Amino acid sequence: MDEKYTPYNHKGTKIHGVEPKHRGTPATKRGLSNQQVCIITAIQRFGHTIARTLNYGKPSSIDLLRFGECLESKSFVMLDGSNSNNELLESKNCTKKVLISHESYDKFNHLNTVNSFHKLIEEELKNIRE
């Protein structure tokens, strides 16, 4: 389970009060901000994939609890070092394993599956934006 942040885009839509952004122009705010959409992803190793856009910027615990409606209770979840998922995992009575860096990866415990899915999302969004 992991989050992906991507700059939002209003391609083909004029919105009153919003300046147009040209291709390749970076966001005006550094780091996580309300100029990026959060996509949270959960993938079963040999099964289903759930990807939801939650909000702009870092998701709140309420947003994550809404995402948790798709998560089965008593699941085993591998995630990165972020603490934002703790309340969700406790409410679902899930077991978690935190993988802080690539040094903690092994043949079975890794986030490569979800990171590969994030790469597919990036490629699709790149095709849409061009």
Side-chain angles (χ1 to χ4, degrees), residues 20-67:
K21 185 177 165 209
H22 300 286
R23 185 181 336 161
T25 307
T28 57
K29 296 179 183 177
R30 293 175 30 179
L32 291 179
S33 68
N34 61 354
Q35 294 182 344
Q36 295 180 347
V37 177
C38 176
I39 304 170
I40 188 162
T41 310
I43 298 178
Q44 285 182 333
R45 183 72 54 144
F46 301 107
H48 300 285
T49 301
I50 303 166
R52 298 263 170 100
T53 55
L54 293 180
N55 61 5
Y56 295 115
K58 193 166 184 165
S60 68
S61 59
I62 296 169
D63 294 327
L64 290 170
L65 287 173
R66 270 190 304 181
F67 176 76

Side-chain angles (χ1 to χ4, degrees), residues 2 4 10 27 56 58-59 62 77-78 82 93 114 123 126:
D2 200 10
K4 166 86 179 128
H10 300 291
Y56 295 115
K58 193 166 184 165
I62 296 169
V77 179
M78 287 183 270
S82 67
N93 199 17
V114 72
E123 290 172 0
K126 184 178 179 184

